[in-house]
Amino acid sequence: MEDAKAALLERFRAYLEEEPGVREGSDAGIDATDETDAPDLFTLLAELAALKNEVKLESRQVKTALEQFRDLFDSLRQANEHLSAELSRRQQDARDVALNAERDILLELIELRDRLRDGRGQAAAYRPNWLAHASGAAEFIAGMTQGLSMNLRRLDETLDRREVRPIQVVGQPFDPRIMRALEVGRDPALPLGTVLAELRTGYRRGESLLRLADVIVNKIEDHPQ
């Protein structure tokens, strides 16, 4: 198409550069055969119009193809965004499952720690009588207390490695986000809502709460007017 266009333009340029007398054959000695071969202006313009229409047609075809490619690219982009979002969601779901499973294990370790602490407390509070000393029960209780203390210390180290920390609540203002008030106390020397004691230790891992702390909250008696 480019060659035909160039040839046609060259013929039109040659036609315009010819002298009028030469085109008419009056003084140039051109025979009838040459006049027949030379294109007239109407034919040249018709060929130019046909070429113009062909260029327009091909331009529309190119534009249509570009629009189709653009739609295809948009579809591919949307599909890629959808796949990326789906992959991110599945990865987050997998992380959530792993975190929930780990959370359950950590809570079980915390419950185990509570039982070890309570058992050690009971063993440490035991006061053997003369019969217990005579039978060797006192030595058994002392050894059991020591063993419970060792197990409790190892469990605390395990929790600490996993960044599980107890929540410090005694003397702090009551915070319902990390505490649960099970009882109330009365201490006029402290502000209303101050945590007086801890009934069960609360734990968090980093910024995530694992277990609420059960506490006793200060409530000052209202004095009659």
Side-chain angles (χ1 to χ4, degrees):
M1 175 182 172
E2 293 296 331
D3 294 340
K5 181 179 178 182
L8 187 59
L9 291 175
E10 183 62 28
R11 290 172 63 187
F12 183 64
R13 187 182 297 107
Y15 176 82
L16 293 177
E17 291 177 353
E18 288 181 358
E19 295 182 2
V22 174
R23 288 198 296 270
E24 296 173 0
S26 58
D27 299 325
I30 300 177
D31 57 16
T33 302
D34 294 337
E35 291 179 357
T36 302
D37 294 340
D40 56 49
L41 181 59
F42 177 77
T43 301
L44 189 60
L45 292 177
E47 292 179 354
L48 284 174
L51 180 61
K52 181 178 180 181
N53 290 334
E54 185 177 355
V55 170
K56 287 182 178 179
L57 178 60
E58 292 190 357
S59 297
R60 286 196 294 268
Q61 292 176 346
V62 171
K63 181 180 179 181
T64 301
L66 289 176
E67 290 177 351
Q68 292 175 348
F69 279 123
R70 186 179 300 111
D71 293 340
L72 177 60
F73 291 151
D74 288 341
S75 298
L76 290 175
R77 178 181 55 80
Q78 293 175 1
N80 184 62
E81 291 176 352
H82 176 73
L83 289 175
S84 298
E86 181 66 16
L87 178 60
S88 298
R89 186 185 67 81
R90 290 183 179 273
Q91 290 175 342
Q92 184 61 46
D93 289 344
R95 286 193 293 268
D96 291 342
V97 170
L99 288 175
N100 288 334
E102 187 176 13
R103 175 187 175 87
D104 292 340
I105 294 175
L106 292 176
L107 286 174
E108 289 182 5
L109 291 177
I110 290 173
E111 294 292 338
L112 176 60
R113 185 192 184 281
D114 289 345
R115 290 193 292 270
L116 288 175
R117 181 201 58 196
D118 293 342
R120 186 191 63 175
Q122 293 176 4
Y126 175 70
R127 295 294 180 265
N129 54 25
W130 65 270
L131 182 59
H133 284 291
S135 63
E139 289 77 8
F140 173 77
I141 296 297
M144 184 177 64
T145 302
Q146 184 177 4
L148 290 172
S149 297
M150 292 176 59
N151 290 331
L152 187 60
R153 184 168 60 254
R154 290 173 181 172
L155 184 54
D156 285 339
E157 292 173 353
T158 299
L159 293 173
D160 186 70
R161 284 196 300 270
R162 285 159 177 77
E163 298 182 352
V164 177
R165 307 284 189 272
I167 302 174
Q168 304 300 324
V169 295
V170 177
Q172 302 297 319
F174 176 74
D175 185 350
R177 295 173 299 177
I178 59 175
M179 306 175 196
R180 179 170 54 188
L182 297 185
E183 298 180 16
V184 295
R186 292 170 178 80
D187 188 344
L190 294 176
L192 177 67
T194 301
V195 176
L196 299 178
E198 178 184 74
L199 299 176
R200 190 179 72 159
T201 305
Y203 287 89
R204 65 173 56 182
R205 185 184 189 192
E207 297 300 322
S208 300
L209 179 68
L210 289 176
R211 190 176 76 177
L212 291 169
D214 294 338
V215 298
I216 300 175
V217 181
N218 190 36
K219 180 180 180 180
I220 302 175
E221 290 286 354
D222 295 331
H223 296 287
Q225 299 295 330

